Amino acid sequence: MNEIIRDDLESICNSDLDWERFKDRTVLISGANGMLASYMVYTLAYLNEKNPHLNIKIIALCRNLDKARARFSDFLNSPLLQISDENILNKINISEDIHYIIHAASPASPQFYGIDPVGVILPNVFGTRNLLELAREKQSNGFLFFSSGEVSGTADKKVITESEGGYLDPTDIRNCYGESKRMGENMCKCWHHQYQVPTIVVRPEHTYGPTLDLNNDKRVFSEFVSDVVNNRDIKVKSDGRPVRTFCYISDATDGFFRALLKGKSGESYHVGNSAGQMSVGNLAELLISLFPEKKLKVIYEGRGQDDNYLENKNNIRPMLSTAKIEELGYRCKLSVRDGFYRTIQSFLK
């Protein structure tokens, strides 16, 4: 296994969380190939490796079996890891008990919002319904839904809490993602209220790390990492002023598990780095400064007319307050500088 990923897993597993809650339990994870969910699969598989008595069965749902076998190659020999391509848009038929469900299946990159908005909406609405019904049928102990900071929309405040939502225009095609995540959140609340399904929602900020897909992920921070890894000057396709908040994946993964294991059912939790806010331009300059021997430059240019990437036009989006999850003991360990250095090194190694 990549040594940086292994170090991350060691850090996550050494946290103060009660991993015994997963002992002899089955955890189903949708979107398991994704950047965020794959770290949760890694964490549970690594826990089994470190502590065989835990006996955690992992059902990893994904669309691309070959990609999953490559991503989880270090754990394929384990009888406790089951990889499946079952489609969550259909009724899910699993005979065994499912104790925890982690629903992270959803296209997250704005490159998909303009070319396949229906494909963005479906897993967040119909997929969420099917998994909530599965949790209801199995009387699961926990259901974790991956929402997004996008649900915050536009707001006048610099920092917002989980209960403060901004405006999203439902007639803007880009909001297929934010609106469907909002609906998914409301569905979790309703299933909890009406059927007592123990749902928890997490809203991650921009999360990055060694599981970025540098070939297909067109989000700006992923493209910046790809440029540095491949010795290319960074091209910023804007004026560089948009400000975003960035969180390294091991910190975020701790937050996701912390919300699932220690959070209050029916509630939502922001997961991010309160010290990780930075403009896109400054991020580009930071990344080239980490590897001065490459002698890279930052070049500012606009997007071409045929570019399918639908940008968020809000230069400064409200920062998500992490005070609520910090009450559960959440703390970020890595700065933006250290996190991106680890990320780039993981690909160079």
Side-chain angles (χ1 to χ4, degrees):
M1 175 180 285
N2 183 296
E3 65 184 67
I4 288 178
I5 294 178
R6 185 170 288 276
D7 286 347
D8 287 344
L9 298 179
E10 191 69 23
S11 175
I12 296 166
C13 294
N14 284 336
S15 73
D16 62 346
L17 291 173
D18 182 10
W19 300 114
E20 293 288 328
R21 293 267 299 279
F22 290 121
K23 186 177 186 299
D24 297 324
R25 296 293 184 259
T26 297
V27 183
L28 182 147
I29 303 177
S30 74
N33 273 340
M35 190 193 77
L36 304 182
S38 60
Y39 248 64
M40 300 194 82
V41 174
Y42 283 153
T43 299
L44 295 173
Y46 191 67
L47 281 168
N48 279 332
E49 187 179 275
K50 280 175 58 87
N51 306 291
H53 77 280
L54 287 176
N55 193 45
I56 307 165
K57 181 169 183 183
I58 309 154
I59 302 176
L61 300 187
C62 51
R63 291 184 297 177
N64 187 325
L65 291 178
D66 289 338
K67 180 179 178 181
R69 292 187 187 106
R71 191 179 276 286
F72 305 121
S73 59
D74 292 291
F75 303 107
L76 289 182
N77 291 330
S78 171
L80 294 173
L81 175 61
Q82 174 186 326
I83 298 173
S84 170
D85 62 353
E86 183 155 2
N87 190 343
I88 63 169
L89 300 185
N90 302 324
K91 186 179 187 301
I92 300 170
N93 297 302
I94 296 177
S95 59
E96 63 192 287
D97 290 337
I98 304 294
H99 302 96
Y100 292 93
I101 294 175
I102 297 168
H103 178 24
S106 171
S109 176
Q111 74 193 83
F112 299 112
Y113 303 169
I115 59 175
D116 188 21
V118 173
V120 171
I121 290 171
L122 293 179
N124 289 323
V125 179
F126 292 99
T128 302
R129 177 193 182 277
N130 290 333
L131 289 168
L132 283 168
E133 281 296 295
L134 181 65
R136 179 187 174 195
E137 172 195 339
K138 301 294 184 181
Q139 297 184 321
S140 298
N141 301 96
F143 183 100
L144 185 70
F145 175 65
F146 273 74
S147 183
S148 166
E150 290 268 348
V151 303
S152 63
T154 58
D156 293 333
K157 294 186 175 183
K158 291 183 178 180
V159 181
I160 61 172
T161 66
E162 286 81 354
S163 61
E164 298 172 317
Y167 174 70
L168 277 177
D169 179 1
T171 68
D172 184 345
I173 195 68
R174 192 190 187 283
N175 291 333
C176 61
Y177 184 67
E179 289 282 23
S180 61
K181 286 296 188 185
R182 278 187 171 183
M183 188 70 252
E185 285 201 29
N186 189 250
M187 292 169 73
C188 289
K189 190 73 173 182
C190 292
W191 260 256
H192 173 256
H193 173 80
Q194 189 166 342
Y195 303 122
Q196 294 74 55
V197 175
T199 59
I200 296 284
V201 171
V202 286
R203 298 176 187 164
E205 284 279 21
H206 294 284
T207 306
Y208 62 94
T211 47
L212 282 171
D213 184 347
L214 299 190
N215 295 319
N216 299 303
D217 190 340
K218 300 303 178 184
R219 287 174 292 183
V220 290
F221 56 89
S222 181
E223 290 201 318
F224 290 177
V225 170
S226 179
D227 287 337
V228 176
V229 169
N230 291 289
N231 301 310
R232 298 187 300 254
D233 291 335
I234 292 181
K235 294 183 178 180
V236 180
K237 297 176 182 179
S238 70
D239 59 11
R241 289 188 299 169
V243 175
R244 301 293 181 258
T245 304
F246 301 98
C247 182
Y248 185 67
I249 194 166
S250 63
D251 286 330
T253 302
D254 175 275
F256 305 148
F257 278 113
R258 194 168 293 274
L260 178 61
L261 294 174
K262 301 183 73 172
K264 182 180 178 182
S265 294
E267 296 289 320
S268 299
Y269 294 87
H270 293 159
V271 178
N273 181 356
S274 58
Q277 195 171 63
M278 182 174 290
S279 74
V280 169
N282 285 343
L283 176 63
E285 297 288 351
L286 170 64
L287 296 195
I288 64 168
S289 74
L290 295 176
F291 299 90
E293 68 278 8
K294 290 177 175 284
K295 299 180 180 178
L296 302 178
K297 302 187 295 294
V298 176
I299 301 171
Y300 292 84
E301 61 178 30
R303 290 191 178 275
Q305 291 185 345
D306 59 345
D307 195 325
N308 292 314
Y309 188 96
L310 295 185
E311 294 177 309
N312 188 331
K313 299 299 183 181
N314 299 326
N315 272 357
I316 302 178
R317 203 173 73 189
M319 177 182 278
L320 306 183
S321 168
T322 55
K324 186 175 178 180
I325 198 167
E326 285 171 4
E327 292 177 359
L328 305 180
Y330 174 73
R331 298 290 184 274
C332 278
K333 298 176 181 177
L334 289 169
S335 66
V336 174
R337 169 181 286 274
D338 292 342
F340 272 104
Y341 183 78
R342 286 181 68 80
T343 298
I344 293 169
Q345 284 285 26
S346 74
F347 290 102
L348 294 178
K349 289 177 180 297

